[in-house]
Amino acid sequence: MLLLSELKIQVGTIGTSQTAIARTITLATGLASDMREVKADIRQIKTDIPSIDASIEEMLRLLPDRNNPST
């Protein structure tokens, strides 16, 4: 991440704040894109949970009952 001290150095070296602002906007845009991806992944996981739960229930049903081997 771009720190405030790095922005100050960049502004001092280049002589303009436009470069620092452009860099910050670029980073913010990239982070926003990453967050959209993360949110989409979380939505997909939430969608998959019922199916995974049903699969686990089915596996448990098919396993022999260790406490009741006669059934």
Side-chain angles (χ1 to χ4, degrees):
M1 276 198 207
L2 198 58
L3 300 174
L4 184 57
S5 60
E6 292 171 343
L7 281 175
K8 288 179 182 178
I9 291 169
Q10 199 171 19
V11 170
T13 305
I14 308 280
T16 64
S17 61
Q18 286 86 353
T19 301
I21 292 168
R23 174 84 187 228
T24 302
I25 290 171
T26 300
L27 289 171
T29 303
L31 288 172
S33 176
D34 291 346
M35 285 306 299
R36 282 190 293 276
E37 256 184 70
V38 168
K39 285 181 179 182
D41 290 345
I42 290 170
R43 278 193 296 275
Q44 183 61 50
I45 290 168
K46 285 181 177 179
T47 302
D48 292 343
I49 286 173
S51 174
I52 293 168
D53 188 42
S55 296
I56 291 171
E57 290 293 327
E58 180 65 9
M59 286 186 272
L60 291 174
R61 187 186 70 76
L62 293 172
L63 287 173
D65 187 353
R66 293 173 193 241
N67 294 326
N68 241 343
S70 61
T71 57

